[in-house]
């Protein structure tokens, strides 16, 4: 019987020693005043498969805590605690799991004492009024958005009805269209400077040459010459001549017919005129511009005079 009792006591003491050596809780003081802080340190003598549950307290408050540190094959976690009520409070045993086995720390007693105050020496101050919270961005956010929207509307109104209108008036005053003949001669000179047919770009040359002539007819006679075919343009000019609404000659219309048809052959039949023929067509184009004009309108007052 005594032998069995000895083994039981030995087993219990071994378990208690194992728990004591495996997990440990320490505080740096056992007596504090209300609001004073103290440190709690929990140490686990293992680093593998350790679970530290949330610290359980009664009558004490956690101010801060650190992450778990590994020091010399041990895990250490520190807490900063305080108490706001006077009395004796226990930090209860904390259950920690190591490799799926539960271990308990010791319970610790902390005395929280009140601070003796000599009311005869305390300076009295008047009761302060309620202090309002400081303003933040959210307090003015809606007003800022309304202001920005109003500024955007005003800016758009100023641009649309003042700046844009003024810009259009300036452009209308300063812009003057070049006369059709002057514009066509300018474009012919620019075409000469490109040296298109001299660089085997005969098709491009005739396209631009006839476009200049057609554009001149369109502007000068106010007809859609650029959109019409060669035959339509020639028929239209023949009608104008018969009606005596243009000043030109049969020779000028013949030159125009030859130029437009030559250009059609180059563009659609891949014709390749000689250099002398190209130069002659360039000369004919300028002659057409010079000799194809609308007939001046004579007002009745001029006829009476």
């Amino acid at each position: 019987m005594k032998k069995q009792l000895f083994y039981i006591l030995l087993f219990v003491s071994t378990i208690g020693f194992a728990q004591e050596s495996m997990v440990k809780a320490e505080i740096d003081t056992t007596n504090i005043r209300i609001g004073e802080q103290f440190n709690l340190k929990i140490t686990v003598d293992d680093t593998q498969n350790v679970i530290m549950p949330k610290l359980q307290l009664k009558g004490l408050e956690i101010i801060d805590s650190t992450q778990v540190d590994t020091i010399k094959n041990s895990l250490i976690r520190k807490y900063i605690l305080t108490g706001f009520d006077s009395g004796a409070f226990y930090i209860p045993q904390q259950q920690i799991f190591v490799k799926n086995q539960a271990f308990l720390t010791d319970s610790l007693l902390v005395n929280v004492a009140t601070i003796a105050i000599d009311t005869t020496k305390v300076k009295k101050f008047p009761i302060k009024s309620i202090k309002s919270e400081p303003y933040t961005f959210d307090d003015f956010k809606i007003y800022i958005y309304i202001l920005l929207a109003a500024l955007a509307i005003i800016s758009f109104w100023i641009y649309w009805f003042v700046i844009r209108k003024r810009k259009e008036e300036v452009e209308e005053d300063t812009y003057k269209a070049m006369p059709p003949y002057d514009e066509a001669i300018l474009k012919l000179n620019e075409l000469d400077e490109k040296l298109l047919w001299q660089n085997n770009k005969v098709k491009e040359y005739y396209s631009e040459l006839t476009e200049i002539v057609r554009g001149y007819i369109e502007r000068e006679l106010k007809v859609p010459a650029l959109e019409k075919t060669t035959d339509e343009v020639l028929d239209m000019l023949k009608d104008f001549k018969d009606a005596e609404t243009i000043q030109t000659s049969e020779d000028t219309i013949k030159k125009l017919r030859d130029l437009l048809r030559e250009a059609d052959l180059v563009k659609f039949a891949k014709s390749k005129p000689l250099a002398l023929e190209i130069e002659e067509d360039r000369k004919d184009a300028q002659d057409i511009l010079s000799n194809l004009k609308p007939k001046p309108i004579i007002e009745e007052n001029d006829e009476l005079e």
Side-chain angles (χ1 to χ4, degrees), residues 227-281:
E227 301 173 2
K228 293 184 177 295
T229 64
T230 296
D231 291 337
E232 288 174 340
V233 172
L234 295 172
D235 291 341
M236 179 177 57
L237 293 179
K238 184 177 181 299
D239 293 338
F240 284 166
K241 189 175 186 315
D242 293 341
E244 297 183 353
T245 56
I246 59 174
Q247 289 181 340
T248 187
S249 62
E250 290 293 341
D251 184 59
T252 301
I253 294 179
K254 180 179 180 301
K255 288 181 179 180
L256 177 62
R257 181 177 63 249
D258 294 342
L259 174 63
L260 295 180
R261 288 178 177 175
E262 181 68 28
D264 290 340
L265 291 173
V266 171
K267 290 188 287 185
F268 305 115
K270 297 182 180 180
S271 174
K272 292 184 179 180
L274 300 175
L276 185 62
E277 295 173 332
I278 297 174
E279 291 175 351
E280 189 65 27
D281 287 335

Side-chain angles (χ1 to χ4, degrees), residues 60-79:
L60 300 173
E61 303 287 341
I62 300 174
I63 303 299
D64 197 4
S65 63
T66 63
Q67 297 293 330
V68 178
D69 294 331
T70 303
I71 301 175
K72 295 182 180 180
N73 296 324
S74 297
L75 297 181
I76 297 176
R77 188 167 189 179
K78 296 180 181 180
Y79 299 87

Side-chain angles (χ1 to χ4, degrees), residues 188-206 209 273-276 278-280 282:
L188 283 178
N189 293 332
E190 291 176 349
L191 178 61
D192 293 338
E193 294 175 357
K194 292 181 181 180
L195 302 176
L196 291 177
W197 68 267
Q198 293 89 338
N199 290 285
N200 296 322
K201 296 181 179 179
V202 179
K203 182 178 179 180
E204 290 87 341
Y205 176 80
Y206 272 92
L209 182 64
L274 300 175
L276 185 62
I278 297 174
E279 291 175 351
E280 189 65 27
R282 165 64 176 82

Side-chain angles (χ1 to χ4, degrees), residues 67-204:
Q67 297 293 330
V68 178
D69 294 331
T70 303
I71 301 175
K72 295 182 180 180
N73 296 324
S74 297
L75 297 181
I76 297 176
R77 188 167 189 179
K78 296 180 181 180
Y79 299 87
I80 299 176
L81 308 180
T82 189
F84 297 104
D85 294 321
S86 61
F89 301 97
Y90 276 99
I91 299 175
Q93 292 179 314
Q94 304 299 315
Q95 189 176 50
I96 300 173
F97 294 91
V98 181
K99 297 178 181 177
N100 297 326
Q101 184 176 354
F103 294 89
L104 297 174
T105 65
D106 293 334
S107 60
L108 303 171
L109 178 65
V110 178
N111 294 304
V112 181
T114 58
I115 302 174
I117 300 176
D118 187 355
T119 56
T120 60
K121 296 181 179 180
V122 175
K123 186 177 180 180
K124 296 181 180 180
F125 297 93
I127 298 175
K128 295 182 178 180
S129 60
I130 298 174
K131 188 177 181 181
S132 59
E133 294 184 359
Y135 291 108
T136 62
F137 173 76
D138 291 337
D139 297 327
F140 302 97
K141 181 169 61 176
I142 184 65
Y143 302 105
I144 293 175
Y145 290 157
I146 293 174
L147 178 61
L148 292 176
L151 290 175
I153 294 172
I154 293 172
S155 300
F156 175 78
W157 184 88
I158 293 173
Y159 168 77
W160 188 259
F161 293 101
V162 180
I163 298 176
R164 187 180 67 90
K165 186 175 181 181
R166 186 180 301 169
K167 185 177 179 181
E168 289 177 354
E169 292 176 353
V170 171
E171 289 179 351
E172 289 176 359
D173 294 337
T174 57
Y175 174 75
K176 292 183 179 179
M178 185 180 293
Y181 178 78
D182 294 341
E183 182 184 22
I185 294 298
L186 177 63
K187 289 183 177 180
L188 283 178
N189 293 332
E190 291 176 349
L191 178 61
D192 293 338
E193 294 175 357
K194 292 181 181 180
L195 302 176
L196 291 177
W197 68 267
Q198 293 89 338
N199 290 285
N200 296 322
K201 296 181 179 179
V202 179
K203 182 178 179 180
E204 290 87 341

